[in-house]
DNA sequence: TTTAATATATTTACAATTAAAGTACAGAAT
DNA sequence: ATTCTGTACTTTAATTGTAAATATATTAAA
């Protein structure tokens, strides 16, 4: 086999390996987080939505705003808020100033839930990344951000 | 604020940042791949399944085997193979030796499709990771594998 | 002011995934 | 030969996501 061919294959190999290892890592991570959230009848999307509403405060957020912050389509926000409302973690309130707008607000019960879950969640993330030392985490973050910048352009 | 508290927060910060950047990177990557596959009426799961069957050869694979290789539950393999069969890319064949077993086999049309898609797919992966040089890709892969090893233990 | 364009949310249809329950078949033990 | 156990696949219900069509409310333009 000619060496140029080898180089080309090597280049492709690293590209494929990069994507494969990224995928494997996220699969493991998502699995871990899903198992963690399941203990509280939560999921990653539910948790993310609750965190947004938690930091948004009393007035909550319009569904459209919540959707944009979560990078999720409007159609799905409807369903997600449906489920959170069914669980008693969120209420829908019509905005009096613009009756097209429906705001999602967090309930006291959800605030209590978040206060219970958040410390455990932080612990889990620390444990999940504990196989890397501080320098390695910083390097990983730097490389991921650089990779993202390349991906953004495509 | 006492310095120990600061350190603890910094530690948590790096853990959270690591997870966030991993998530963002995969989001961008999945989006890119989804758009690419959509040109061929494919998706990442469909493509993965076809690749497994492509390398499995004439006899194809039992659905259970295909499911294990794709790390997907058996229930979903049924649906995924349904869709691939509907697209004319796969056929189901009952194994004569064990009639519990159904093998999925790739069709000539799918082989043709793969031959068309594969070079473009490789190009895309190379472009997707082109913002990192060879050394950076190797470092990223090494750190991801190390992170996976830690995640496996949880 | 009526009309046109825009924004918000929902509905519907589909893809992908999991979990749990059910069905069919194979192999082993009695 | 029958029964038990395990394996393979399917079915159903639920969650999460996208896209397209629709209803309603607002805003801008004619």
């Amino acid at each position: 086999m000619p060496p140029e061919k080898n180089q080309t294959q090597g280049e492709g190999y690293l590209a494929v390996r990069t994507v494969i290892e990224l995928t494997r890592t996220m699969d493991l991570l998502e699995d871990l987080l899903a198992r963690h959230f399941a203990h509280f009848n939560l999921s990653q999307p539910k948790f993310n939505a609750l965190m947004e509403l938690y930091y948004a405060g009393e007035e909550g957020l319009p569904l459209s705003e919540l959707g944009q912050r979560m990078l999720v389509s409007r159609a799905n926000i409807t369903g997600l808020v449906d489920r959170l409302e069914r669980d008693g973690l969120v209420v829908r309130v019509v905005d009096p100033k613009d009756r097209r707008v429906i705001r999602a607000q967090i309930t006291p019960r959800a605030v209590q839930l978040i206060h219970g879950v958040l410390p455990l969640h932080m612990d889990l993330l620390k444990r999940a990344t504990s196989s890397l030392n501080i320098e390695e985490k910083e390097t990983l973050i730097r490389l991921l951000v650089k990779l993202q910048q390349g991906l953004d352009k495509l």
Side-chain angles (χ1 to χ4, degrees), chain A:
Chain A
M1 231 181 286
E4 331 50 284
K5 182 94 186 237
N6 257 332
Q7 276 199 337
T8 304
Q9 286 186 339
E11 205 185 316
Y13 169 76
L14 279 183
V16 171
R17 263 304 289 289
T18 302
V19 170
I20 286 179
E21 298 311 337
L22 270 170
T23 305
R24 280 196 190 139
T25 308
M26 271 311 284
D27 280 356
L28 287 170
L29 194 56
E30 284 175 356
D31 206 66
L32 180 69
L33 291 176
R35 272 183 284 141
H36 174 65
F37 285 133
H39 297 154
F40 309 95
N41 192 31
L42 284 176
S43 62
Q44 183 78 59
K46 282 182 179 176
F47 179 75
N48 290 347
L50 289 182
M51 288 307 292
E52 289 293 343
L53 296 176
Y54 180 70
Y55 287 122
E58 295 268 323
E59 306 135 23
L61 291 176
L63 296 197
S64 52
E65 177 69 21
L66 180 58
Q68 277 167 28
R69 293 198 189 184
M70 294 185 60
L71 302 174
V72 151
S73 75
R74 274 156 294 165
N76 189 45
I77 276 298
T78 296
L80 183 57
V81 171
D82 281 350
R83 291 184 282 274
L84 287 168
E85 204 169 19
R86 196 199 51 197
D87 295 346
L89 300 174
V90 151
V91 289
R92 277 179 165 91
V93 177
V94 176
D95 189 325
K97 292 187 286 288
D98 183 344
R99 283 184 308 179
R100 292 172 305 180
V101 174
I102 296 183
R103 306 183 83 88
Q105 294 174 356
I106 204 170
T107 64
R109 184 179 157 189
V111 172
Q112 219 178 341
L113 181 63
I114 288 174
H115 286 163
V117 171
L118 212 43
L120 300 177
H121 183 61
M122 285 298 299
D123 272 1
L124 185 68
L125 294 191
K126 282 185 203 163
R127 269 183 290 138
T129 59
S130 61
S131 61
L132 302 180
N133 61 37
I134 292 180
E135 198 180 33
E136 288 172 326
K137 282 203 241 317
E138 284 169 345
T139 302
L140 177 57
I141 289 168
R142 184 176 58 77
L143 292 176
L144 288 172
V145 169
K146 195 166 179 185
L147 184 53
Q148 286 169 38
Q149 287 164 354
L151 285 169
D152 264 330
K153 291 178 191 145
L154 307 178

